Amino acid sequence: ATKAVVSTQSTGKKKEVTALQKSTDEKSADKLQTKAWQKAISMAKGEKQKDNPDLIVKTIKRKEQAKKKSKKEWNARTGGQKKAQKEKQKKRQANIEKRIQGKKQKK
């Protein structure tokens, strides 16, 4: 699942938990306790908890910035390669012209 989907799911889960906490019947308390135990067990297993929407949004933002930076560096690299290639072609053309002129002067 993408981070955006996980973010929306976690906000939904958070809303559900707050609604369960507000209600006073026994079923909701039991459900709340079950969710807490499931979370504790998954944390004990070492699974990552993706239930904090703020952290998920931060992660998405960080990845987007990394993508932008990488794209910028890649464009700079390819631009530098093209510039170097043009200069080499220009130098080669100048050397060819120089050689042709040298041959013409020898005749």
Side-chain angles (χ1 to χ4, degrees), residues 60-79:
I60 292 169
K61 197 178 240 184
R62 190 178 334 111
K63 285 192 175 189
E64 289 299 319
Q65 286 175 345
K67 279 184 183 179
K68 280 183 184 178
K69 183 180 177 186
S70 176
K71 187 175 182 178
K72 188 177 180 182
E73 288 174 351
W74 180 256
N75 287 338
R77 189 177 303 123
T78 55

PDB file of all heavy atoms in Angstrom, residues 60-79:
ATOM      1  N   ILE A  60       6.349  10.855   3.695  1.00  0.00           N
ATOM      2  CA  ILE A  60       5.990  11.130   2.295  1.00  0.00           C
ATOM      3  C   ILE A  60       6.728  12.375   1.809  1.00  0.00           C
ATOM      4  O   ILE A  60       7.319  12.382   0.728  1.00  0.00           O
ATOM      5  CB  ILE A  60       4.465  11.315   2.152  1.00  0.00           C
ATOM      6  CG1 ILE A  60       3.742   9.996   2.417  1.00  0.00           C
ATOM      7  CG2 ILE A  60       4.109  11.830   0.769  1.00  0.00           C
ATOM      8  CD1 ILE A  60       2.248  10.135   2.559  1.00  0.00           C
ATOM      9  N   LYS A  61       6.724  13.415   2.641  1.00  0.00           N
ATOM     10  CA  LYS A  61       7.378  14.671   2.280  1.00  0.00           C
ATOM     11  C   LYS A  61       8.884  14.463   2.077  1.00  0.00           C
ATOM     12  O   LYS A  61       9.469  14.962   1.115  1.00  0.00           O
ATOM     13  CB  LYS A  61       7.133  15.704   3.387  1.00  0.00           C
ATOM     14  CG  LYS A  61       7.395  17.129   2.975  1.00  0.00           C
ATOM     15  CD  LYS A  61       7.069  18.068   4.116  1.00  0.00           C
ATOM     16  CE  LYS A  61       5.997  19.037   3.717  1.00  0.00           C
ATOM     17  NZ  LYS A  61       5.697  20.038   4.742  1.00  0.00           N
ATOM     18  N   ARG A  62       9.500  13.715   2.994  1.00  0.00           N
ATOM     19  CA  ARG A  62      10.938  13.457   2.906  1.00  0.00           C
ATOM     20  C   ARG A  62      11.275  12.703   1.615  1.00  0.00           C
ATOM     21  O   ARG A  62      12.246  13.025   0.927  1.00  0.00           O
ATOM     22  CB  ARG A  62      11.393  12.652   4.119  1.00  0.00           C
ATOM     23  CG  ARG A  62      12.884  12.553   4.244  1.00  0.00           C
ATOM     24  CD  ARG A  62      13.382  11.792   5.474  1.00  0.00           C
ATOM     25  NE  ARG A  62      12.510  11.759   6.623  1.00  0.00           N
ATOM     26  CZ  ARG A  62      11.876  10.673   7.060  1.00  0.00           C
ATOM     27  NH1 ARG A  62      11.999   9.530   6.430  1.00  0.00           N
ATOM     28  NH2 ARG A  62      11.124  10.711   8.133  1.00  0.00           N
ATOM     29  N   LYS A  63      10.458  11.705   1.273  1.00  0.00           N
ATOM     30  CA  LYS A  63      10.709  10.935   0.054  1.00  0.00           C
ATOM     31  C   LYS A  63      10.536  11.795  -1.188  1.00  0.00           C
ATOM     32  O   LYS A  63      11.308  11.665  -2.152  1.00  0.00           O
ATOM     33  CB  LYS A  63       9.799   9.714  -0.005  1.00  0.00           C
ATOM     34  CG  LYS A  63      10.242   8.636   0.941  1.00  0.00           C
ATOM     35  CD  LYS A  63       9.543   7.329   0.687  1.00  0.00           C
ATOM     36  CE  LYS A  63      10.125   6.261   1.591  1.00  0.00           C
ATOM     37  NZ  LYS A  63       9.639   4.933   1.266  1.00  0.00           N
ATOM     38  N   GLU A  64       9.535  12.670  -1.184  1.00  0.00           N
ATOM     39  CA  GLU A  64       9.322  13.559  -2.321  1.00  0.00           C
ATOM     40  C   GLU A  64      10.511  14.510  -2.492  1.00  0.00           C
ATOM     41  O   GLU A  64      10.947  14.763  -3.604  1.00  0.00           O
ATOM     42  CB  GLU A  64       8.023  14.357  -2.153  1.00  0.00           C
ATOM     43  CG  GLU A  64       6.774  13.531  -2.314  1.00  0.00           C
ATOM     44  CD  GLU A  64       6.632  12.898  -3.680  1.00  0.00           C
ATOM     45  OE1 GLU A  64       6.927  13.561  -4.690  1.00  0.00           O
ATOM     46  OE2 GLU A  64       6.225  11.717  -3.734  1.00  0.00           O
ATOM     47  N   GLN A  65      11.020  15.034  -1.384  1.00  0.00           N
ATOM     48  CA  GLN A  65      12.179  15.931  -1.455  1.00  0.00           C
ATOM     49  C   GLN A  65      13.405  15.183  -1.969  1.00  0.00           C
ATOM     50  O   GLN A  65      14.190  15.726  -2.756  1.00  0.00           O
ATOM     51  CB  GLN A  65      12.464  16.537  -0.082  1.00  0.00           C
ATOM     52  CG  GLN A  65      11.470  17.599   0.323  1.00  0.00           C
ATOM     53  CD  GLN A  65      11.690  18.100   1.740  1.00  0.00           C
ATOM     54  OE1 GLN A  65      12.389  17.492   2.527  1.00  0.00           O
ATOM     55  NE2 GLN A  65      11.055  19.229   2.062  1.00  0.00           N
ATOM     56  N   ALA A  66      13.560  13.930  -1.537  1.00  0.00           N
ATOM     57  CA  ALA A  66      14.687  13.125  -2.007  1.00  0.00           C
ATOM     58  C   ALA A  66      14.567  12.881  -3.509  1.00  0.00           C
ATOM     59  O   ALA A  66      15.570  12.931  -4.236  1.00  0.00           O
ATOM     60  CB  ALA A  66      14.741  11.806  -1.252  1.00  0.00           C
ATOM     61  N   LYS A  67      13.343  12.641  -3.978  1.00  0.00           N
ATOM     62  CA  LYS A  67      13.127  12.443  -5.412  1.00  0.00           C
ATOM     63  C   LYS A  67      13.482  13.704  -6.187  1.00  0.00           C
ATOM     64  O   LYS A  67      14.130  13.633  -7.241  1.00  0.00           O
ATOM     65  CB  LYS A  67      11.664  12.086  -5.687  1.00  0.00           C
ATOM     66  CG  LYS A  67      11.319  10.648  -5.461  1.00  0.00           C
ATOM     67  CD  LYS A  67       9.869  10.405  -5.859  1.00  0.00           C
ATOM     68  CE  LYS A  67       9.430   8.995  -5.579  1.00  0.00           C
ATOM     69  NZ  LYS A  67       8.021   8.779  -5.958  1.00  0.00           N
ATOM     70  N   LYS A  68      13.045  14.863  -5.681  1.00  0.00           N
ATOM     71  CA  LYS A  68      13.344  16.133  -6.350  1.00  0.00           C
ATOM     72  C   LYS A  68      14.852  16.362  -6.427  1.00  0.00           C
ATOM     73  O   LYS A  68      15.385  16.765  -7.458  1.00  0.00           O
ATOM     74  CB  LYS A  68      12.683  17.295  -5.612  1.00  0.00           C
ATOM     75  CG  LYS A  68      11.225  17.470  -5.902  1.00  0.00           C
ATOM     76  CD  LYS A  68      10.677  18.687  -5.171  1.00  0.00           C
ATOM     77  CE  LYS A  68       9.189  18.837  -5.372  1.00  0.00           C
ATOM     78  NZ  LYS A  68       8.647  19.984  -4.635  1.00  0.00           N
ATOM     79  N   LYS A  69      15.527  16.094  -5.303  1.00  0.00           N
ATOM     80  CA  LYS A  69      16.977  16.301  -5.249  1.00  0.00           C
ATOM     81  C   LYS A  69      17.674  15.369  -6.243  1.00  0.00           C
ATOM     82  O   LYS A  69      18.570  15.786  -6.982  1.00  0.00           O
ATOM     83  CB  LYS A  69      17.486  16.027  -3.831  1.00  0.00           C
ATOM     84  CG  LYS A  69      18.961  16.280  -3.648  1.00  0.00           C
ATOM     85  CD  LYS A  69      19.389  16.001  -2.224  1.00  0.00           C
ATOM     86  CE  LYS A  69      20.890  16.185  -2.081  1.00  0.00           C
ATOM     87  NZ  LYS A  69      21.359  15.796  -0.768  1.00  0.00           N
ATOM     88  N   SER A  70      17.247  14.120  -6.263  1.00  0.00           N
ATOM     89  CA  SER A  70      17.841  13.142  -7.163  1.00  0.00           C
ATOM     90  C   SER A  70      17.623  13.539  -8.622  1.00  0.00           C
ATOM     91  O   SER A  70      18.541  13.441  -9.447  1.00  0.00           O
ATOM     92  CB  SER A  70      17.230  11.764  -6.896  1.00  0.00           C
ATOM     93  OG  SER A  70      17.714  10.826  -7.811  1.00  0.00           O
ATOM     94  N   LYS A  71      16.405  14.006  -8.932  1.00  0.00           N
ATOM     95  CA  LYS A  71      16.092  14.427 -10.297  1.00  0.00           C
ATOM     96  C   LYS A  71      16.951  15.616 -10.703  1.00  0.00           C
ATOM     97  O   LYS A  71      17.478  15.669 -11.816  1.00  0.00           O
ATOM     98  CB  LYS A  71      14.612  14.780 -10.394  1.00  0.00           C
ATOM     99  CG  LYS A  71      14.142  15.073 -11.787  1.00  0.00           C
ATOM    100  CD  LYS A  71      12.654  15.301 -11.839  1.00  0.00           C
ATOM    101  CE  LYS A  71      12.212  15.536 -13.267  1.00  0.00           C
ATOM    102  NZ  LYS A  71      10.755  15.722 -13.373  1.00  0.00           N
ATOM    103  N   LYS A  72      17.116  16.563  -9.764  1.00  0.00           N
ATOM    104  CA  LYS A  72      17.926  17.750 -10.035  1.00  0.00           C
ATOM    105  C   LYS A  72      19.384  17.357 -10.304  1.00  0.00           C
ATOM    106  O   LYS A  72      20.005  17.843 -11.255  1.00  0.00           O
ATOM    107  CB  LYS A  72      17.844  18.694  -8.832  1.00  0.00           C
ATOM    108  CG  LYS A  72      18.467  20.039  -9.036  1.00  0.00           C
ATOM    109  CD  LYS A  72      18.253  20.918  -7.818  1.00  0.00           C
ATOM    110  CE  LYS A  72      18.865  22.291  -7.993  1.00  0.00           C
ATOM    111  NZ  LYS A  72      18.695  23.129  -6.802  1.00  0.00           N
ATOM    112  N   GLU A  73      19.915  16.458  -9.468  1.00  0.00           N
ATOM    113  CA  GLU A  73      21.296  15.997  -9.654  1.00  0.00           C
ATOM    114  C   GLU A  73      21.447  15.253 -10.976  1.00  0.00           C
ATOM    115  O   GLU A  73      22.449  15.415 -11.675  1.00  0.00           O
ATOM    116  CB  GLU A  73      21.707  15.093  -8.493  1.00  0.00           C
ATOM    117  CG  GLU A  73      21.925  15.836  -7.196  1.00  0.00           C
ATOM    118  CD  GLU A  73      22.194  14.911  -6.020  1.00  0.00           C
ATOM    119  OE1 GLU A  73      22.051  13.670  -6.166  1.00  0.00           O
ATOM    120  OE2 GLU A  73      22.529  15.428  -4.937  1.00  0.00           O
ATOM    121  N   TRP A  74      20.441  14.447 -11.324  1.00  0.00           N
ATOM    122  CA  TRP A  74      20.500  13.690 -12.577  1.00  0.00           C
ATOM    123  C   TRP A  74      20.488  14.647 -13.766  1.00  0.00           C
ATOM    124  O   TRP A  74      21.261  14.471 -14.718  1.00  0.00           O
ATOM    125  CB  TRP A  74      19.320  12.718 -12.667  1.00  0.00           C
ATOM    126  CG  TRP A  74      19.334  11.927 -13.924  1.00  0.00           C
ATOM    127  CD1 TRP A  74      18.556  12.101 -15.029  1.00  0.00           C
ATOM    128  CD2 TRP A  74      20.199  10.831 -14.228  1.00  0.00           C
ATOM    129  NE1 TRP A  74      18.868  11.187 -15.985  1.00  0.00           N
ATOM    130  CE2 TRP A  74      19.873  10.396 -15.521  1.00  0.00           C
ATOM    131  CE3 TRP A  74      21.206  10.179 -13.524  1.00  0.00           C
ATOM    132  CZ2 TRP A  74      20.537   9.327 -16.129  1.00  0.00           C
ATOM    133  CZ3 TRP A  74      21.855   9.120 -14.136  1.00  0.00           C
ATOM    134  CH2 TRP A  74      21.518   8.703 -15.422  1.00  0.00           C
ATOM    135  N   ASN A  75      19.630  15.660 -13.721  1.00  0.00           N
ATOM    136  CA  ASN A  75      19.575  16.639 -14.810  1.00  0.00           C
ATOM    137  C   ASN A  75      20.899  17.387 -14.932  1.00  0.00           C
ATOM    138  O   ASN A  75      21.361  17.656 -16.044  1.00  0.00           O
ATOM    139  CB  ASN A  75      18.422  17.624 -14.593  1.00  0.00           C
ATOM    140  CG  ASN A  75      17.075  16.980 -14.854  1.00  0.00           C
ATOM    141  OD1 ASN A  75      16.979  15.979 -15.558  1.00  0.00           O
ATOM    142  ND2 ASN A  75      16.040  17.533 -14.274  1.00  0.00           N
ATOM    143  N   ALA A  76      21.504  17.713 -13.798  1.00  0.00           N
ATOM    144  CA  ALA A  76      22.799  18.404 -13.826  1.00  0.00           C
ATOM    145  C   ALA A  76      23.862  17.501 -14.447  1.00  0.00           C
ATOM    146  O   ALA A  76      24.687  17.948 -15.256  1.00  0.00           O
ATOM    147  CB  ALA A  76      23.210  18.805 -12.417  1.00  0.00           C
ATOM    148  N   ARG A  77      23.826  16.224 -14.091  1.00  0.00           N
ATOM    149  CA  ARG A  77      24.802  15.269 -14.617  1.00  0.00           C
ATOM    150  C   ARG A  77      24.654  15.106 -16.125  1.00  0.00           C
ATOM    151  O   ARG A  77      25.622  15.182 -16.874  1.00  0.00           O
ATOM    152  CB  ARG A  77      24.624  13.914 -13.926  1.00  0.00           C
ATOM    153  CG  ARG A  77      25.706  12.923 -14.232  1.00  0.00           C
ATOM    154  CD  ARG A  77      25.526  11.619 -13.466  1.00  0.00           C
ATOM    155  NE  ARG A  77      25.477  11.835 -12.028  1.00  0.00           N
ATOM    156  CZ  ARG A  77      24.476  11.467 -11.238  1.00  0.00           C
ATOM    157  NH1 ARG A  77      23.417  10.859 -11.726  1.00  0.00           N
ATOM    158  NH2 ARG A  77      24.523  11.680  -9.949  1.00  0.00           N
ATOM    159  N   THR A  78      23.414  14.910 -16.600  1.00  0.00           N
ATOM    160  CA  THR A  78      23.199  14.719 -18.039  1.00  0.00           C
ATOM    161  C   THR A  78      23.503  16.003 -18.800  1.00  0.00           C
ATOM    162  O   THR A  78      24.040  15.954 -19.908  1.00  0.00           O
ATOM    163  CB  THR A  78      21.756  14.262 -18.331  1.00  0.00           C
ATOM    164  OG1 THR A  78      20.840  15.185 -17.759  1.00  0.00           O
ATOM    165  CG2 THR A  78      21.501  12.874 -17.789  1.00  0.00           C
ATOM    166  N   GLY A  79      23.173  17.153 -18.188  1.00  0.00           N
ATOM    167  CA  GLY A  79      23.496  18.430 -18.819  1.00  0.00           C
ATOM    168  C   GLY A  79      24.993  18.615 -18.962  1.00  0.00           C
ATOM    169  O   GLY A  79      25.480  19.075 -19.996  1.00  0.00           O
TER     170      GLY A  79
END
